[in-house]
Amino acid sequence: MSSVLSAFFTLVAVAVLGYVVGRAGVLRSEDELVLSRLAFFVATPALMFATISRADLNVIFSPVLLTSLSCVLIIVVLSLTVSGLVWHRDRAQATISALAASYVNAGNLGIPVAVYVLGDGALVAPIVLFQLLVMAPVAFAVLDGYRQGSGRRVSLRTVLTRPLRNPLTVASLLGLLVAAVGFDPPTLLMRPIELVGAAGVPVALIAYGLSLSGRTSSTRLGPGPDLTLAVSLKIVLQPAIAYAVGRWVLGLEGHALLAPTLLAALPTAQNVYVYAVHYRTGQQLARSTVLLTTLLSIPTMTLITGLLA
């Protein structure tokens, strides 16, 4: 357990460094965008390709994946039921609420957690792919159909091909292809990819800490019931369901049980706020959920690691 907690402490320490340099003015709040784009478009895709291309596909497509996807689907159904059927939110608002409650930060924070705490970055790859290839396109189809954002419908082709314009998706799919065919890329090709990929985790964590340094207590939160529902589902119920499914349905133990439970406790991805802004619905809910789950995720994941490691 001490080695796992030590790895988790390393992640927290680097994130705190990002917070400190932000508060000290060494890096500005606008630098978060630069670091995040560097991690998202360059370093993290390189890391994902290098990790997945040499991974055992049996590890990627394992009970850990089934557990993770099961709890996501349960959370989405619960959120849509309460938002849509009980509170009668419109279809667009209910969709953003469901994304806020279930769409985890698998890129900026999930990959560092998988690499340093769980010891295998490939564990988070299926979650990244599921969110980008399934969850996001379905949500876009619903939101586009509701005529939000630009005020016109977007073609089915645009919705279906949008994930393929995401560098994480492309890098992960290429890595899966290389692993599936058993191709061993030459060292001359892999060394620069691995070198760039090595920057992915620290850059993402510093950007993560920097994003927290710009938050102030004056930030207005809300709306109340929807925010409470989204944060409760994301931080409390999603990891609890992951644990229950893994422990009592699939019979997982030890590291195999820790992995999906810990990944389920990741905060809401900032992508959800981007989607909300684009479609002009639920912006305040998305922003507040990202903020609160980000702040609550560190103690939550630390507790989960201490109990299950």
Side-chain angles (χ1 to χ4, degrees), residues 4-39:
V4 175
L5 289 176
S6 176
F8 198 85
F9 175 80
T10 301
L11 297 183
V12 174
V14 177
V16 169
L17 173 63
Y19 177 84
V20 170
V21 297
R23 297 298 294 179
V26 176
L27 294 177
R28 301 160 299 175
S29 58
E30 54 265 35
D31 293 332
E32 176 201 343
L33 177 60
V34 177
L35 292 176
S36 296
R37 289 177 65 85
L38 174 62

Side-chain angles (χ1 to χ4, degrees), residues 45-137:
L47 174 63
M48 292 299 287
F49 176 79
T51 301
I52 298 174
S53 63
R54 295 175 175 173
D56 182 356
L57 295 184
N58 292 326
V59 174
I60 298 178
F61 300 102
S62 66
V64 173
L65 171 61
L66 182 58
T67 304
S68 299
L69 298 188
S70 298
C71 71
V72 167
L73 293 176
I74 292 172
I75 292 297
V76 168
V77 170
L78 288 175
S79 178
L80 291 176
T81 299
V82 176
S83 297
L85 299 181
V86 179
W87 291 343
H88 303 292
R89 305 294 189 245
D90 62 47
R91 189 169 56 189
Q93 289 177 318
T95 299
I96 292 297
S97 181
L99 288 176
S102 62
Y103 201 105
V104 303
N105 191 340
N108 287 350
L109 193 57
I111 293 173
V113 168
V115 171
Y116 281 95
V117 179
L118 301 175
D120 189 354
L123 288 172
V124 79
I127 300 176
V128 172
L129 292 174
F130 177 75
Q131 291 187 159
L132 295 175
L133 295 176
V134 180
M135 289 184 68

Side-chain angles (χ1 to χ4, degrees), residues 80 101 124 153 157 180 192 228 252:
L80 291 176
V124 79
R153 291 183 182 273
R157 178 181 177 181
T228 300
L252 302 181

